[in-house]
Amino acid sequence: MKIIVTGGAGFIGGNFVHYMMNKYKDYKIICLDALTYAGNMETLESVQDNPNFKFYKADIADRNAVYEIFEKEKPNIIVNFAAESHVDRSIDNPSIFLQTNVLGTGVLMDACRKYGIDRYHQVSTDEVYGDLPLDRPDLFFTETTPLHTSSPYSASKASADLLVQAYHRTFKLPVTISRCSNNYGPYHFPEKLIPLMIANALADKELPVYGKGENVRDWLYVEDHCSAIDLIIHKGRVGEVYNIGGHNEKTNLEVVKIILKELNKSESLIKYVTDRPGHDMRYAIDPTKIHSELGWLPATKFEDGIKKTIQWYLDNKSWWQNIINGEYKKYYDLHYKGR
Ligand code: NAD
Ligand code: TDX
């Protein structure tokens, strides 16, 4: 079995590479990643010398490069994690999101048609459903909830989903799509809420909470996302969408306070800053379908996952400190200064 994992030098893709290589010792894992600001070869250091692992630096929107890799590798399965993934950056600069998330997905599917594959899996997000109101805790996103996007990021991910479904219907491409809630865990780029708050708290810097911190996210430990995708690519029904989430809703303020408590830091570090434009209020996944069809259940409770995550950031300081002291510093200053 040969699997191309795009975006494997990023947060979830990197965790997926490790998960699959640990679980399936005879699978060949081919990572295709453009190494944007979010890609990091240090994440893949421990597998680089494994003969079952191969890395190509390539852009999924570069048709020639993608076709060449397909021609050479003849993969059975493609799992597409590659994307511009940060909502705030999509507000600053939408066009790269269309380029990678929409056109790049189109190129990958054309390659699948041209060379033939057993499965194309699109890693999507709960953000394609838009948001839910805070005063209706009875509402959840199901696979039939209409797409209703808020940010250029979520609009680009929804566009890609529609394209994937169109290639299934029109060209009979064997596709699946998963829509997962917010992930957390090792190798999470420090621009995102949880690693950003851990890094700032450790440096006794202000923790910038958007608005009142009342927005709700549904957190899932990254390994549980990997196990769900593993099940879908092997046992999921072609043409289907599967929601992935573990019923773990928390307000941003709750998450930030948990991190401060774990690190023994004062809540006075919290700074309320100007809200994100178009900020989604609440995400909440109904995972009934993947549970009843494929038997998936998350293994890690938030209380344990957040402890493991904090410990990982304490044990791997050089991984994230290299990032926050590099090019990212400019983004941070631009985004947060005077906010
Ligand atoms: P990330 O930003 O950490 O990693 C993205 C990776 O894709 C990086 O390695 C980057 O170099 C690579 N990449 C970007 N543009 C590329 C291109 N044009 N060609 C090839 N590679 C490219 O993102 P993540 O958080 O790991 O998210 C992975 C996927 O999961 C995304 O598709 C995202 O939409 C989806 N997702 C993320 C979450 C979450 O909470 N992080 C939740 C649900 C779904
Ligand atoms: O500095 C911050 N302060 C803050 O209050 C940042 C970076 C975030 N926030 C808030 C905004 C959100 O309500 O925290 C929440 C989480 O923010 P992000 O980590 O940026 O994630 P989110 O916008 O929810 O999107 C994430 O989950 C769905 C991923 O980045 C997406 O790729 C995924 O599709």
Side-chain angles (χ1 to χ4, degrees), residues 9-12 33-34 36 39 58-60 81 83 85 100 124 153 157 183:
F11 165 44
I12 309 174
D33 196 298
T36 68
D59 183 338
I60 56 165
F81 292 93
S85 69
T100 291
S124 186
Y153 163 72
K157 292 296 289 184
N183 285 213

Side-chain angles (χ1 to χ4, degrees), residues 285-298:
I285 282 280
D286 176 351
T288 306
K289 180 173 172 179
I290 189 167
H291 175 58
S292 57
E293 270 192 28
L294 305 179
W296 177 84
L297 276 177

